Amino acid sequence: MGEGPLRDLRVLELAGIGPGPFAAMVLADLGADVVRVDRPGGGAPLGPPPGSDLVNRGKRSVAADLKTPEGVATVLALAAKAHVLIEGFRPGVAERLGVGPEQVHARNPALVYGRMTGWGQHGPLASTAGHDITYLARTGALHAIGRAGGPPQVPVNLLGDYGGGALYLVVGVLAALRSAQVTGRGDVVDAAIVDGSAHLAMILHSLLGAGLWRDRRGVNLLDTGAPFYDVYETADARHVAVGALEPRFYAELVARLGLRDLPEQFDVSGWPTLRERFAATFRTKTRDEWAALFDGTDACVAPVLSLTEASSDHHLAARGTFQTHASVPQPAPAPRFAHSTPGPATPPPLPGQHTEEVLESWGIASATGQNWE
C-alpha cells in the first residue's frame, strides 16, 4: 500500500490462478489495499511457491475455508468493508459457496463484483474448462499469429490471460467503481478472456472489412508478411526486430543497411527479394553490433533481448522499467502518474500470513467469532 491513485480502495480477491490474481496485482501496484483470501495452508497448483509468486506482491493474505460456514462468514464480513471483490471460479461456484453477487450485495450494495473467466458467465461452453490457448483459438486471434505456410504460434499466455482477460477486468472494475460513486449501486463485471481477446483484434477486423487484410497467416503487413516488419537472425545466431513501416523510417533502415537498387517498399511482388537482401545483410554483424548501429535512430530496429537481458537495456534502465524489491528483480508498476507514486511493493505473502492483521485493520475482528490461534 503506497501513495498511488487507488490508495483509498479496498479490494478482496478470492484466490485463483492466472488473470484474476494479475488483475488484483495491478490494483495493488496502483496503491489499493488488496486482501487475498487463501485456503488455509493453500497455494496455487501451478506456478511458483506462494512466497515467490510475484503476481501476489503488494497484497495481504487471509486464510479462510469457503467450504465451511466460518470461512464464508469471514469472506462476507470482509466484503461488507470492501469496494471491490474479484473471483475467478467457474460460473455458479461462488453462488453455491455462498459468496456470489447476491449474497455479497445483500451485505454491501455498492460493491463492484468482478468475475474473471475464460468463456464468460453464460454460453454453451461457460461451465467447461479451458486455457489461454483454447480461448484464443475460438476468437480467431490464434489463427492470425504465425508465418506463412506454418501453424499458428502460441504467444505464451500473455495475449489471452493477461491482455484479453486481466486488463479488461481492471477496466471493467474501474468503470463500475465510477458508476457506483455516482449512483451508490454496485455492479457485476463479467470479464471473459474470449470477449477481451476478440476486442483486442479490432484493428484486424477493421482491415479485413476494408479489404486490406487477408485471413491467412504471414501474408499481411503486421504478421511477418512484410519483410520490413519481421525479425532477422544475426551473425551470432541472435535476432533483431525490424518495424520500419512508414516510408521515411524505411528509408533510414535501407540507408543504414547500405542497400541500393531494391524493389519499391510496398510492391508485394518484390517482397521476396527484399527479404533475401535484408536477411543476408543482417547475418553480416552480431545482434549487438546492429543494436549499436541503429541505436537512437528512427529506423525502428531493436535487439531481441531475453527476459534476463531486458533489465540491463539502457533505455529501460533509465526509466526504471525493472526494479528490485526484497532482492527480487521484477517489472515496475505501470502506468505512471504525475501526481501520485505507489510505494515499493511488499513481497508476496504466505497463505494466511495477515489474517489477524487484516481483520483488525478492516474493523471486523469480532464479526465472525473465529478463533485464529
Side-chain angles (χ1 to χ4, degrees), residues 1-338:
M1 294 177 290
E3 292 301 315
L6 299 182
R7 56 187 173 273
D8 297 322
L9 190 70
R10 285 181 172 178
V11 178
L12 187 64
E13 174 200 348
L14 305 187
I17 61 173
F22 185 83
M25 183 210 74
V26 171
L27 298 175
D29 278 354
L30 300 181
D33 180 6
V34 177
V35 170
R36 177 179 167 96
V37 178
D38 285 297
R39 292 173 298 167
L46 300 174
S52 303
D53 194 347
L54 290 176
V55 297
N56 289 328
R57 70 183 187 186
K59 304 176 185 178
R60 296 188 289 174
S61 174
V62 164
D65 186 352
L66 286 175
K67 295 184 179 180
T68 68
E70 294 79 13
V72 172
T74 299
V75 169
L76 292 177
L78 289 165
K81 301 284 188 175
H83 301 100
V84 176
L85 184 149
I86 290 175
E87 59 94 354
F89 301 128
R90 295 195 199 193
V93 171
E95 286 84 348
R96 290 197 298 272
L97 291 171
V99 294
E102 289 189 10
Q103 293 104 328
V104 169
H105 282 146
R107 301 286 297 271
N108 184 354
L111 178 134
V112 172
Y113 196 105
R115 318 198 80 165
M116 184 72 258
T117 61
W119 303 116
Q121 295 298 312
H122 69 276
L125 299 177
S127 63
T128 64
H131 273 296
D132 182 292
I133 190 171
T134 51
Y135 307 135
L136 290 183
R138 285 186 178 268
T139 65
L142 188 63
H143 169 81
I145 302 172
R147 295 189 175 277
Q153 295 298 304
V154 181
V156 203
N157 68 330
L158 302 181
L159 177 56
D161 278 352
Y162 302 117
L167 296 185
Y168 276 85
L169 177 58
V170 171
V171 170
V173 162
L174 295 180
L177 279 170
R178 173 59 180 155
S179 177
Q181 289 175 344
V182 175
T183 66
R185 184 180 68 250
D187 209 339
V188 180
V189 180
D190 176 5
I193 294 173
V194 289
D195 295 347
S197 299
H199 194 258
L200 282 174
M202 188 68 72
I203 181 61
L204 303 187
H205 288 280
S206 178
L207 292 170
L208 186 65
L212 300 174
W213 191 271
R214 287 181 284 174
D215 201 11
R216 293 190 288 120
R217 284 183 297 283
V219 296
N220 299 287
L221 194 63
L222 303 174
D223 62 358
T224 74
F228 43 86
Y229 200 87
D230 204 346
V231 295
Y232 289 93
E233 186 174 356
T234 56
D236 53 349
R238 295 180 176 181
H239 296 85
V240 293
V242 177
L245 291 174
E246 293 81 357
R248 64 190 181 96
F249 301 155
Y250 176 79
E252 184 158 1
L253 165 70
V254 170
R256 289 185 175 270
L257 289 176
L259 296 176
R260 294 180 176 83
D261 301 322
L262 295 175
E264 290 296 320
Q265 179 183 4
F266 294 106
D267 177 6
V268 176
S269 66
W271 282 3
T273 299
L274 276 182
R275 188 178 302 280
E276 291 176 6
R277 298 283 300 277
F278 287 170
T281 303
F282 278 116
R283 282 195 293 267
T284 64
K285 297 181 186 294
T286 67
R287 182 198 67 179
D288 293 344
E289 287 173 336
W290 285 119
L293 179 66
F294 284 104
D295 192 44
T297 75
D298 283 346
C300 301
V301 175
V304 178
L305 302 179
S306 71
L307 291 172
T308 53
E309 289 177 307
S311 60
S312 299
D313 177 76
H314 71 94
H315 179 79
L316 303 185
R319 285 186 57 79
T321 299
F322 292 90
Q323 300 176 352
T324 298
H325 296 306
S327 302
V328 179
Q330 56 197 275
R336 306 178 191 198
F337 303 86

